[in-house]
Amino acid sequence: MPRDQYDAIILGAGAAGLLCAAIAGQRGRRILLVDHADEVGKKILISGGGRCNFTNLHTAPDRYLSANPHFAKSALSRYTAADFIALVDSHRIAWHEKTLGQLFCDGSAKQIVALLLDECARGQVDLALGQSVTDIAHVTDYRVTIGARTVTAPSLVLATGGPSIPKLGATGFAYDVARRFGLKIVEPRPALVPLTLAGDDLLFRDLAGVATPVVARAGKASFHEAALFTHRGLSGPAILQASSYWRHGDAVGIDFLPAATPDWLLALKRTQPRTTLRRALAATIPDRLAEALSDRLAIGELAATTDRRLTDAARTLADWRFHPNGSEGYAKAEVTVGGISTADLSSQTMAARRVPGLYAIGEAVDVTGWLGGYNFQWAWASGWAAAQDV
Ligand code: FDA
């Protein structure tokens, strides 16, 4: 095969592109993996606080957002969390479960990048790093111009991710290329992102740094994890999760006392009439938050408060409505919801239905996971599926 002729050119050497290249290379395909960054897997390196939450034991299609909730099923069932764990184990990388099925390296995310590069080397993958793609033409093969070089292949894989965290080199490039080939894009928006507050809600700014376990609700989704007040609004895992389901104009409902029964304040009034709402709350949540909430509800001693008001207060505390005015945007979003429409792709192979030889994998596709290793598992699974077909 001539030097610049490949079986597949993969654009984007992130999680999905690296795994896809390695597996396809190991199937005997001649693969070129291209990235405009001079280093592969930058998001992997910073993921999970530098320890890479590389998969989740509870991976299931219902933990993904997509216009077609069935699309991810095939790939996720053919390349599972257990498959990636076996790969991690074969490289003797020690790992642990932190919480909620989230698996992290004991050491460093660098080990996952080293694993992927090692697997690419086993597949004799050619790497072209620090190279910008200046042109893509498609006649029978794809002709891709990378700097001064033109390479050709019958298959082209879009693995350049979504636009989250532009300072790491993230772009909407995959969407532009997909559009050029007639594929539809489901409107992208930042997800797993802190939400910002304004107006009345700003009073909560005084609580910056306070964290507490809550149930956060947005749309039909709810998440029982920690919420964190910030100088700009709300963050923490429960809020990041809810942000993926949040739309401008929606409220986010927060249950500050997920374990409390609806009549807990009435019951407390009977047993400890002299206690105050603040003291009652401070038994469960941080004192500064207890103070802010009881001030807002304007309730002091329970004995001096009618049963009706206490019942209403318990209801409000179980569904405190915040009205975010926005999010911290792509600069802070861990992922992008939306992307290349699954309606135009095969769920078996990730190939475009009407454009021969074109594939899209990873975050570029309209499949977005929850926080907790689900996004990497989608990157591995979709990359593996395409690797069987290129
Ligand atoms: P990814 O973004 O990894 O790779 C795309 C590649 O394409 C990049 O290397 C980029 O340089 C390249 N590229 C972009 N535009 C290009 C162009 N025009 N030309 C050439 N190359 C181009 N997920 C998870 O499951 N567990 C976790 O612990 C975390 N933690 C985490 C932390 C932070 C801070 C962020 C921002 C994200 C996470 N994620 C995560 C999400 C996870 O990182 C993300 O979903 C995957 O990296 C997506 O993999 P892809 O390969 O699709 O894109």
Side-chain angles (χ1 to χ4, degrees), residues 186-187 189 195 218-219 242-252 324 337:
V186 174
E187 190 195 351
R189 56 194 166 86
L195 297 172
S243 75
S244 301
Y245 293 84
W246 177 80
R247 301 266 181 181
H248 272 275
D250 288 354
V252 171
V337 161

Side-chain angles (χ1 to χ4, degrees), residues 113-371:
V113 173
L115 171 162
L116 292 163
L117 282 174
D118 196 44
E119 293 293 325
C120 281
R122 280 186 52 205
Q124 297 179 3
V125 172
D126 279 356
L127 283 172
L129 300 180
Q131 313 269 341
S132 290
V133 175
T134 48
D135 190 45
I136 299 173
H138 179 215
V139 189
T140 36
D141 276 4
Y142 291 88
R143 284 169 60 88
V144 181
T145 310
I146 307 157
R149 190 176 167 204
T150 298
V151 287
T152 55
S155 296
L156 179 69
V157 183
L158 302 177
T160 54
S164 297
I165 322 274
K167 75 166 190 259
L168 284 181
T171 65
F173 181 79
Y175 307 159
D176 299 340
V177 178
R179 270 195 203 97
R180 253 195 55 202
F181 285 102
L183 275 61
K184 285 187 285 304
I185 305 297
V186 174
E187 190 195 351
R189 56 194 166 86
L192 299 181
V193 65
L195 297 172
T196 55
L197 298 176
D200 247 18
D201 286 343
L202 260 186
L203 292 178
F204 283 92
R205 197 185 252 177
D206 296 343
L207 295 173
V210 171
T212 189
V214 300
V215 171
R217 301 187 192 90
K220 290 194 179 117
S222 64
F223 296 93
H224 192 164
E225 288 188 65
L228 168 72
F229 289 92
T230 71
H231 289 287
R232 300 191 61 192
L234 296 167
S235 187
I239 301 299
L240 299 182
Q241 298 275 37
S243 75
S244 301
Y245 293 84
W246 177 80
R247 301 266 181 181
H248 272 275
D250 288 354
V252 171
I254 295 207
D255 183 350
F256 284 111
L257 302 163
T261 57
D263 65 350
W264 74 280
L265 271 176
L266 289 186
L268 200 64
K269 182 179 173 183
R270 309 280 174 259
T271 55
Q272 297 179 47
R274 295 283 153 226
T275 199
T276 60
L277 178 61
R278 176 178 171 180
R279 274 209 298 279
L281 287 171
T284 319
I285 63 178
D287 189 48
R288 278 165 66 200
L289 179 60
E291 183 184 8
L293 294 175
S294 55
D295 282 358
R296 284 291 201 98
L297 291 167
I299 293 179
E301 202 178 78
L302 301 189
T305 313
T306 63
D307 285 5
R308 172 85 190 270
R309 274 193 71 204
L310 290 179
T311 305
D312 286 350
R315 198 177 300 130
T316 305
L317 288 163
D319 189 19
W320 197 286
R321 292 301 176 108
F322 288 94
H323 297 273
N325 65 345
S327 77
E328 293 197 21
Y330 287 121
K332 292 281 166 63
E334 275 196 20
V335 287
T336 306
V337 161
I340 298 172
S341 172
T342 57
D344 292 331
L345 301 175
S346 154
S347 62
Q348 309 287 312
T349 63
M350 305 294 134
R353 291 184 188 284
R354 281 178 291 274
V355 190
L358 184 67
Y359 297 77
I361 58 175
E363 200 180 315
V365 177
D366 172 33
V367 173
T368 308
W370 285 3
L371 186 77

Side-chain angles (χ1 to χ4, degrees), residues 74-106:
S74 170
L76 290 174
S77 68
R78 285 185 302 141
Y79 191 86
T80 63
D83 290 319
F84 196 76
I85 294 167
L87 186 61
V88 169
D89 286 343
S90 74
H91 284 254
R92 299 183 194 288
I93 298 173
W95 52 268
H96 61 280
E97 179 182 350
K98 198 167 166 193
T99 175
L100 302 170
Q102 302 168 2
L103 305 191
F104 288 75
C105 299
D106 288 356

Side-chain angles (χ1 to χ4, degrees), residues 11-18 34-37 39-44 46-49 52-55 104 131-133 159-162 164-165 168-174 192 333-335 361-364 370 372-377 379:
L11 302 181
L18 282 161
V34 183
D35 205 294
H36 65 176
E39 171 182 33
V40 304
K42 282 193 178 177
K43 278 194 186 167
I44 301 174
I46 60 157
S47 68
C52 186
N53 177 193
F54 55 80
T55 192
F104 288 75
Q131 313 269 341
S132 290
V133 175
T160 54
S164 297
I165 322 274
L168 284 181
T171 65
F173 181 79
L192 299 181
E334 275 196 20
V335 287
I361 58 175
E363 200 180 315
W370 285 3
Y374 296 101
N375 285 295
F376 280 138
Q377 188 56 40

